[in-house]
Amino acid sequence: MGKAQLKFHACIIHTMDKMLKEVWKTLFSLIILVNTSRQASFYSSSSESPISKLSVTSHITLRYAQTEVQSLVKNPGNLAREVEFSMVLPDSAFISYFSMTINDKEQVAKVMEEKEAVEKYNNAKQLGIAAGLVSQNERDSNKFSISTNIEGGHKVVFKLKYEELLERRNGQYEHAININPKGIVEDLKVEVFINESLPISSLSVPELKHTNELNFARTSESKDAKVTHKEGSSEAYILYEPDKRVQRAAGESGVSGQFLVRYDVDRKGQDNEVQVIDGYFVHFFAPENLKRLPKHTVFVLDISGSMQGEKIVQLKDA
């Protein structure tokens, strides 16, 4: 079954029963893993219930990144309102945890059949009970949305954890986080902790990337990101915490784009490295000066009706 054929809905309600931890973890991770793509993006859209706090924390150890996203949304009104939290994940990433906290009670996502999930979500919504529905669009399989009903005067905290193995390309590792709050956020913070087994030989945090177009020109370093790293050390800390002034200067929708962290390690002349942790091992290969292999490239161009308009123009330009 292809990605576009998979459809997944999960519903969180206050009265949900607890599933066996390992069974839930296996099901949830497996379903999400099959439906991931491109970069990672997190945002919430609602003019009446804006994001009050958005924090992203990534821990990178042995080129393996574990990222946690927390988004706080408030409903200052008296009536229950619906908001949406959306995300796009990297190809190699998988979700390991998702929850929604309402009234200081954390509800962990539960996997259900589509019909049952929609029915329970609609019933909870009609009763004014806070509920969340996670859905996946067949056409846009890399995007997941969490529709959430917030009671008047209450707040909700979304918590998402995902993991990925960083790949070395063009002589460096790249960790990307898409930032798109669609508005000015009172408390916006992105933190990246790097802890490697070898000394970090290069570290770069460029300005936010606003397009997916290839750009071979050297990008300037971010003026708002604070990088802490001692030469010869295997650890580094990056903090990006734009205040309201910086966000307003970026536009009406605040800051938006890919926050990138690029780095490489000093292999001390060795082309490979083996690490053993808790009975498991990982073998890294990074050979240099390899002979280029001949390539045969096939381009498949979509000219169907769905490509009409701007899409077909962009295809012709490319």
Side-chain angles (χ1 to χ4, degrees), residues 76-308:
N78 297 322
L79 301 177
R81 304 187 188 280
E82 185 177 80
V83 296
E84 182 181 274
F85 173 81
S86 299
M87 59 206 171
V88 181
L89 300 177
D91 281 330
S92 58
F94 67 93
I95 291 178
S96 57
Y97 186 87
F98 174 74
S99 71
M100 189 173 69
T101 301
I102 302 177
N103 298 331
D104 298 325
K105 294 182 180 179
E106 185 177 26
Q107 307 293 336
V108 180
K110 181 179 180 180
V111 177
M112 298 180 181
E113 292 290 338
E114 174 190 349
K115 184 177 180 180
E116 180 186 4
V118 174
E119 181 180 351
K120 288 194 174 184
Y121 173 72
N122 290 334
N123 291 338
K125 183 179 176 181
Q126 291 177 359
L127 295 174
I129 300 175
L133 180 69
V134 180
S135 62
Q136 181 262 323
N137 191 313
E138 289 183 354
R139 182 169 183 80
D140 191 8
S141 61
N142 61 331
K143 180 179 179 180
F144 294 85
S145 299
I146 302 129
S147 299
T148 307
N149 192 44
I150 307 179
E151 299 177 48
H154 288 72
K155 62 183 180 181
V156 57
V157 178
F158 299 102
K159 182 185 292 185
L160 171 81
K161 296 180 181 179
Y162 75 92
E163 306 176 23
E164 62 175 323
L165 178 65
L166 304 183
E167 296 183 6
R168 188 171 186 262
R169 295 178 179 175
N170 300 321
Q172 60 186 353
Y173 298 95
E174 181 177 280
H175 181 51
I177 301 171
N178 278 15
I179 303 173
N180 189 8
K182 294 192 174 181
I184 307 301
V185 181
E186 183 177 347
D187 186 359
L188 174 60
K189 180 189 292 186
V190 177
E191 294 180 287
V192 179
F193 298 84
I194 302 177
N195 183 11
E196 286 291 346
S197 58
L198 298 173
I200 297 175
S201 58
S202 63
L203 178 60
S204 173
V205 183
E207 294 285 355
L208 289 182
K209 184 179 179 182
H210 301 286
T211 176
N212 288 326
E213 294 182 1
L214 294 176
N215 184 4
F216 297 99
R218 184 177 178 84
T219 56
S220 59
E221 291 295 295
S222 173
K223 299 177 181 178
D224 300 311
K226 299 179 181 179
V227 180
T228 303
H229 171 247
K230 293 182 179 180
E231 186 176 355
S233 173
S234 60
E235 299 181 357
Y237 171 67
I238 298 95
L239 172 65
Y240 178 68
E241 194 174 18
D243 55 23
K244 291 184 178 180
R245 179 185 60 81
V246 174
Q247 295 181 52
R248 291 193 183 96
E252 295 182 359
S253 299
V255 295
S256 176
Q258 293 180 5
F259 182 77
L260 303 175
V261 176
R262 297 167 177 158
Y263 76 97
D264 198 13
V265 295
D266 183 5
R267 294 172 181 77
K268 304 182 184 300
Q270 298 181 358
D271 293 335
N272 64 90
E273 174 193 3
V274 178
Q275 290 289 334
V276 181
I277 301 176
D278 296 332
Y280 296 89
F281 80 92
V282 57
H283 195 171
F284 295 101
F285 293 91
E288 301 286 350
N289 303 320
L290 292 179
K291 183 179 179 180
R292 292 184 179 274
L293 299 176
K295 298 180 178 64
H296 181 72
T297 306
V298 177
F299 292 93
V300 180
L301 308 180
D302 183 2
I303 56 174
S304 63
S306 63
M307 292 292 290
Q308 291 183 358

